[in-house]
Amino acid sequence: MSSIATTRIQRELKDIKESNNQSIKIELKSDEFNNLRGEIVGPSGTPYQDGMYKLSIKIPETYPFNPPIVSFDTRIWHPNISSVTGAICLDILKDQWAAALTLRTVLLSLQALLSAAEPDDPQDAVVAKQYKDNQKAFVKTARFWAQYYANAPGPRDTDCVEKLRKASEMGFYKDISLQALSTHSWDLENAIQYLTSC
Amino acid sequence: MESDDDYYEDDIDPDDYDDGHNFDNEDVEVDEGYLGESSVDARISSYNPDLGDDDPYPYECLSADKVVGLMNEIIREVNDIVNIPSTTLRILLAHFNWDKELLLEKYYEYEGNQERIFAEAHVISPLKSKSLARRKSGRSIEQACEICCNNYSSSFMTGLDCGHSFCKGCWSQYLCTKIIDEGMSQTISCPEFECDIIVDDAVVMNLITDQKVCRKYQHLITNSFVMCNPLLKWCPAPDCHHVIKVEYRDKRPVKCECGREFCFDCGESWHDPVLCMHLRKWLKKCDDDSETSHWISANTKECPKCQVTIEKDGGCNHMVCRNQACKHEFCWVCLGPWDPHGASWYNCNRYNAEEAKKARDLQESSREMLQRYLFYCNRYMNHLQSLKFEHKLYARIKRKMEEMQQLNMSWIEVQFLKRAVDVLCQCRQTLMYTYVFAFFLKRNNQSIIFEGNQADVEKATELLSEYLERDVTTASLGEIKQKVQDKYRYCDSRRNVLLRHVHEGYDKDWWEYIETS
């Protein structure tokens, strides 16, 4: 790893510790500086509120002249993040990356992205469609995913719990059932039909 | 009157063109007899049947250095009119795709508000920067570089007129990454977040020490200049660094110093009589067998605006063409422009029953299409193959010519043999492309005439080929000349008839084309 990248990462880790911002965290996965683990807290006033989202951060050899490669390890229901792979569509992680940006600014931008989705530039077309056509179902799904995958506190939506139970009782894996139900805006019949057809 | 003069000057420039005098013979009053004879001869040698008309197509072949000179000349020209530092001017010109008239027009249109042009081109106005620049001279204080987080004395920190400064080491690495890894040249911006001020060439040359990177940067700058300029084109031959400069853009053959002859419009080998558009489709179809093209067709699409091949390397469908002169924004799924997608992205997500039916119908007809394609491809490939073999023939004919010269024939007398092989190659090349033309052609009365002409040329070509391959080695040298000349002249004239007919068809809209998938 280049010396600039190593000093930068060391410096950035120190800065984040000192900044005392409880809502973002970054730590080393091993002794290597090219593989980091990040964590952000879902911003309040959003369906993701108080969820703990784990991120995997890979630092390229040419950092900070090229952007870090960031993806969500915790599954999330958001128009700009793939609900399946966790890939992120965010301009500063692509062509808008600037060498003067830091991991801290990246994580803060991700938090901002959770607060304000960009459905016109979607990563996950299914989620984006729901976001635009059926905002209510979107909020319900996003909240349930936050509780289910990201340990967000609060009582879970009984309708969701019930339908998920029914689907998994039919022998489908829970993750797959949840994905199907979410895709079909919690229409149990359609979701089951979809599950049986594939 | 003035406009008349201009017209002639623009269209025909006899002094610059070698064969110009041949066309001007009526104006020059010299010995009638001499001129009459020479002009007949000249007509045969200089008349280019590929064109279908007689006007010359003036062009120049430039070395890479000359292109740089041309670029600097444009900068100087504009600099004489508007007094802007040449580094800034280069960025401005690149912003206007090297269209100096457009730049000047805008510059004077915004008179008094020229800041706007500078802002659009992402440079700091030189008028403004003077007042704000060089504020950090003299004092030497420690400053932290935001990229590497180290402290340096301010003399080691540098930056653009936007005021963001970084250490020289980071600058140099930053530029190397952009130039070598991303192939950027005139669009590299300040490393600060959301600062879009463009790095000028003087700064780059100052900060980069590695000669390799410098050369690449210069090459990229030249390349973007050539790409932006519709009157310039790189020679497509591998490792040839020449540029062809024309006076107006047209579908015409140009010949590079390296010997490669190509169509200025599409860059492929000169392909008369088929249109660039059809040749492009054809070549793509022919390449479909190779692994590479499988990969290309599976993983890439073409920019709907500039046709450059694009590979998608991220998840989102919002594509921005990297071609400096294009920068078109489009949707990967439907290839439509991106703008309306902001509101109605899902149009390309919806299953379209009509489209699907169309696709099914296409599949049924594709079997028949395949047969048709194989028919034409076979013949195309056959001529291509033969064309490659003719190079061997050149060598054999050359030996023959030497042999004949030893038998009391003069150098000039044996040239007919070389000319015969030239004609043979030309005919093969033309025939090859007529099959491409025919592949896209719908049957009508004119196409039947075309096929007749094609058959004529083909027959004559095969006769010539056979004669040159076989009989020429056995027959007595005296007899050969007459026979060979008869044969190649016939070939040449049939070829001209064929091409003329196709060109006439283009002019008069005779040709109808089939839809291909």
Side-chain angles (χ1 to χ4, degrees), chain B residues 356-370:
Chain B
K357 188 179 176 307
K358 227 160 100 189
R360 276 200 308 277
D361 289 348
L362 268 173
Q363 215 155 38
E364 273 170 32
S365 68
S366 73
R367 243 163 217 288
E368 194 192 313
M369 281 296 289
L370 182 68

Side-chain angles (χ1 to χ4, degrees), chain A residues 151-170:
Chain A
N151 290 326
R156 295 189 181 183
D157 188 300
T158 45
D159 178 52
C160 299
V161 174
E162 188 56 25
K163 282 175 177 160
L164 184 59
R165 189 181 58 78
K166 275 188 186 153
S168 44
E169 269 173 11
M170 294 179 73

Side-chain angles (χ1 to χ4, degrees), chain B residues 129-144 152-168 171 190 203 207:
Chain B
S129 70
K130 264 175 208 134
S131 59
L132 146 173
R134 322 284 162 249
R135 62 215 132 80
K136 49 188 189 269
S137 58
R139 282 179 295 153
S140 162
I141 30 160
E142 288 244 310
Q143 252 182 305
Y152 294 102
S153 87
S154 52
S155 61
F156 195 65
M157 302 286 284
T158 184
L160 306 172
D161 289 337
C162 56
H164 307 118
S165 57
F166 305 94
C167 79
K168 286 181 179 165
W171 258 113
C190 168
V203 170
L207 285 166

Side-chain angles (χ1 to χ4, degrees), chain A residues 2 4 7-8 11 62 64-66 89 92 94 96-101 119-125 128-129 132, chain B residues 146-149 166 170 173-174 177-178 181-182 191-193 315-318 338 341-346 349:
Chain A
S2 76
I4 292 189
T7 30
R8 256 286 290 257
R11 180 66 181 262
T62 48
F65 303 107
N66 281 321
C89 183
I92 61 159
K94 290 177 182 163
Q96 291 300 306
W97 171 258
L101 286 174
D120 289 339
D121 230 340
Q123 172 76 31
D124 193 312
K129 185 174 163 55
K132 292 181 103 174
Chain B
E146 271 196 65
I147 295 178
C148 62
C149 304
F166 305 94
C170 285
Q173 276 218 30
Y174 172 72
T177 322
K178 291 283 171 193
D181 299 348
E182 297 177 36
E192 181 64 37
F193 178 52
C316 95
N317 288 312
H318 182 171
W338 183 259
H341 284 69
S344 59
W345 193 78
Y346 299 100
N349 206 18

Side-chain angles (χ1 to χ4, degrees), chain B residues 329-341:
Chain B
E329 295 189 31
F330 63 97
C331 166
W332 181 257
V333 179
C334 70
L335 294 179
W338 183 259
D339 279 349
H341 284 69

Side-chain angles (χ1 to χ4, degrees), chain A residues 39-189:
Chain A
E39 198 173 86
I40 56 172
V41 178
S44 52
T46 67
Y48 315 103
Q49 184 168 350
D50 297 330
M52 304 295 277
Y53 292 94
K54 289 197 165 50
L55 303 157
S56 99
I57 304 167
K58 291 201 168 58
I59 306 295
E61 188 72 16
T62 48
Y63 185 82
F65 303 107
N66 281 321
I69 301 152
V70 185
S71 64
F72 274 79
D73 279 346
T74 309
R75 298 188 69 185
I76 184 168
W77 191 253
H78 186 283
N80 303 103
I81 300 155
S82 167
S83 60
V84 182
T85 63
I88 304 166
C89 183
L90 182 64
D91 56 356
I92 61 159
L93 290 177
K94 290 177 182 163
D95 50 341
Q96 291 300 306
W97 171 258
L101 286 174
T102 61
L103 293 177
R104 186 169 159 267
T105 48
V106 168
L107 295 200
L108 291 174
S109 303
L110 283 174
Q111 275 188 323
L113 185 68
L114 296 190
S115 308
E118 300 255 8
D120 289 339
D121 230 340
Q123 172 76 31
D124 193 312
V126 175
V127 183
K129 185 174 163 55
Q130 192 182 63
Y131 183 94
K132 292 181 103 174
D133 299 350
N134 190 349
Q135 181 81 24
K136 222 176 129 195
F138 167 77
V139 173
K140 179 171 152 178
T141 315
R143 183 66 196 154
F144 190 75
W145 279 51
Q147 292 168 328
Y148 190 84
Y149 289 115
N151 290 326
R156 295 189 181 183
D157 188 300
T158 45
D159 178 52
C160 299
V161 174
E162 188 56 25
K163 282 175 177 160
L164 184 59
R165 189 181 58 78
K166 275 188 186 153
S168 44
E169 269 173 11
M170 294 179 73
F172 298 110
Y173 287 115
K174 269 199 161 177
D175 286 343
I176 296 170
S177 310
L178 180 53
Q179 182 84 38
L181 280 163
S182 305
T183 304
H184 293 95
S185 299
W186 299 95
D187 182 323
L188 186 61
E189 216 169 287

Side-chain angles (χ1 to χ4, degrees), chain A residues 167 170 172 176 180 184 188-198:
Chain A
M170 294 179 73
F172 298 110
I176 296 170
H184 293 95
L188 186 61
E189 216 169 287
N190 280 349
I192 297 292
Q193 202 175 5
Y194 169 78
L195 284 169
T196 42
S197 70
C198 53

